[in-house]
Amino acid sequence: MLKETGLLRSALTGSFLAAALILVGQVAAMHMLSLPERELPTPPLGNLPVQLGPWKLQDEQALEPGVLAYLRPDSYVLRNYSKASGANGAINLFVAYFKSLQNSYGPHSPRVCLPGSGWLVRSSRIRPVPMPGRPEGIPVNEYVLEKNNDSILVLYWYQNDRNIWAEEFKAKLVLLPDLIRYRRSDVSLVRLVAPLQGSEVEQLAASQEFARLIFPSLVADLREGD
């Protein structure tokens, strides 16, 4: 468990956490528009379940001060979950919510930031993952990264109460129209990190199961901001 925690902490440092925001062009366009937005309540992310199926909360972490000042989320959770026994038992959950990208700095695409802190991309793809209420699935980025003799599996996607997407360029197709039509540009990043210490297929199945378990709570919490 100590090694797994160390791997997850290593994966969360440096520019890897800059994956929290979307694209420079998107934010620049919003700044140029400078439209007034609706005042939204902050979703209660701290109320996300401490137990999800066989996974229980192990510990709750805080972003490093420099990273927090850089990302400026309005709300976030950074947690380690683990199973009491069995393989594929450690998963780190990071959810960052931003009420408005007009007031946030969005410098990089995760496709650029993921190799930060010395992690190299071994494979990447976007795949649909079935979710409760969405049998057709939601698009999820899947990355396998390695450093020295260690490997991790990363799943992440973007979500608000109106849309879910994986590809960063779609932010331009989603958030700017929302800003004009609804006077809101809120968005959250949902990211799971798990150490790969056995079968990649089995870890992927475990991470997808965790995603399905957390998804209904995310939908409910983000609806609080409506």
Side-chain angles (χ1 to χ4, degrees):
M1 185 62 67
L2 290 177
K3 182 178 180 182
E4 291 177 348
T5 301
L7 284 176
L8 296 180
R9 184 176 295 113
S10 175
L12 295 171
T13 58
S15 60
F16 191 67
L17 270 177
L21 296 181
I22 314 300
L23 297 174
V24 173
Q26 178 68 27
V27 178
M30 291 179 175
H31 276 292
M32 286 188 292
L33 285 174
S34 189
L35 295 175
E37 295 191 45
R38 293 171 51 191
E39 183 62 33
L40 300 174
T42 303
L45 296 179
N47 292 337
L48 290 173
V50 298
Q51 181 159 1
L52 294 158
W55 283 276
K56 292 183 179 180
L57 177 65
Q58 178 187 354
D59 58 69
E60 190 144 7
Q61 303 171 324
L63 293 174
E64 296 178 2
V67 174
L68 184 61
Y70 179 69
L71 295 181
R72 291 183 284 177
D74 292 287
S75 179
Y76 77 91
V77 292
L78 180 58
R79 294 176 172 179
N80 286 318
Y81 286 81
S82 63
K83 290 181 180 178
S85 61
N88 311 311
I91 289 183
N92 178 274
L93 169 69
F94 177 53
V95 184
Y97 171 81
F98 304 85
K99 284 186 179 181
S100 171
L101 291 189
Q102 293 192 101
N103 302 319
S104 298
Y105 177 56
H108 296 294
S109 160
R111 301 182 192 281
V112 176
C113 298
L114 282 171
S117 303
W119 292 92
L120 302 177
V121 177
R122 190 170 80 198
S123 66
S124 65
R125 73 195 73 186
I126 296 175
R127 70 165 76 232
V129 176
M131 294 289 179
R134 292 175 178 259
E136 74 283 2
I138 67 168
V140 172
N141 292 284
E142 173 195 321
Y143 276 75
V144 175
L145 300 100
E146 57 187 18
K147 180 169 64 173
N148 300 325
N149 295 321
D150 297 319
S151 299
I152 56 174
L153 173 70
V154 180
L155 303 182
Y156 74 88
W157 66 92
Y158 299 103
Q159 180 175 348
N160 56 30
D161 75 333
R162 303 171 301 286
N163 293 285
I164 299 173
W165 66 97
E167 296 174 283
E168 285 75 23
F169 81 89
K170 287 191 176 180
K172 295 182 178 181
L173 305 177
V174 172
L175 294 177
L176 192 54
D178 277 5
L179 177 61
I180 295 172
R181 182 177 180 181
Y182 302 114
R183 293 295 191 266
R184 57 190 298 183
S185 61
D186 52 303
V187 64
S188 61
L189 169 76
V190 183
R191 193 202 58 208
L192 311 178
V193 181
L196 269 176
Q197 298 179 331
S199 166
E200 184 175 322
V201 173
E202 291 177 357
Q203 182 57 67
L204 176 60
S207 294
Q208 289 181 345
E209 180 188 359
F210 186 95
R212 285 190 289 270
L213 290 169
I214 194 70
F215 185 74
S217 295
L218 290 170
V219 170
D221 283 355
L222 294 177
R223 190 174 294 130
E224 294 286 337
D226 198 353

